[in-house]
Amino acid sequence: MVRTTDDYGCERSFCKQEGVIHMAITDIFKKAAKKLDEAKDPICGMKVDLGTTKFKSTYQGKVYGFCSEECKKTFDKNPFQYADPNC
């Protein structure tokens, strides 16, 4: 494992594999950003990307994402039953 610091002072870790250097930290920032957009459909429990889903509702200031129009309609009929109780 090789550790270096980039121009911004961020530590980077590399591992050498078969003569090619691979970043061990590859995709960490991409995964973190994706997690911010990731939500759980409160009806069926499926993971939903809030950045791409067409089916969203806002209830008490929180945005909920849905996998389908059917799940969204179910939520919209009775949001307090499915909404996060911490909101």
Side-chain angles (χ1 to χ4, degrees), residues 20-43:
V20 179
I21 296 177
H22 295 279
M23 287 184 66
I25 198 168
T26 302
D27 296 329
I28 288 178
F29 291 110
K30 288 179 186 177
K31 288 178 183 178
K34 187 171 182 169
K35 287 271 186 197
L36 292 175
D37 282 342
E38 192 176 273
K40 181 177 168 184
D41 184 322
I43 305 302

Side-chain angles (χ1 to χ4, degrees), residues 57-64 75 78-84 87:
S57 290
T58 302
Y59 179 70
Q60 294 184 342
K62 182 175 178 181
V63 177
Y64 292 87
F75 179 88
N78 197 5
F80 57 86
Q81 180 179 349
Y82 302 103
D84 183 353
C87 289

